[in-house]
Amino acid sequence: MAEESKLTAKQAAERLNASHSAITRLCRNGTFPNAEKVKTPHDTFYWLIPESDLKNVKIKMGRPKKEL
């Protein structure tokens, strides 16, 4: 069975027309349930997100409206 392709947060941001920071925030809060945080040899991290996690995500850009 072939392994599903995974995207970096930058690649996912380009596909979803969103910012990199919005995608990393969604990874941290669990919107992408199968995203994994990968540590590099230089003690930094990056996210890998399976393409299937992107299918049902709708991103609203901008600040939320304040309730009066």
Side-chain angles (χ1 to χ4, degrees):
M1 184 170 151
E3 187 174 321
E4 180 181 13
S5 64
K6 295 182 180 181
L7 304 171
T8 63
K10 181 180 179 180
Q11 292 168 325
E14 289 170 358
R15 288 239 183 131
L16 296 173
N17 195 27
S19 67
H20 179 266
S21 60
I23 299 300
T24 55
R25 184 175 56 252
L26 294 173
C27 289
R28 284 193 309 267
N29 75 16
T31 300
F32 301 118
N34 300 307
E36 60 182 291
K37 195 174 186 180
V38 179
K39 184 178 179 183
T40 69
H42 303 288
D43 290 333
T44 59
F45 295 91
Y46 65 94
W47 288 96
L48 285 179
I49 308 159
E51 285 191 75
S52 62
D53 280 7
L54 302 182
K55 291 181 181 174
N56 297 318
V57 173
K58 292 191 174 39
I59 297 178
K60 295 179 184 177
M61 297 300 288
R63 295 178 185 248
K65 292 182 179 179
K66 291 183 180 179
E67 292 186 29
L68 299 175

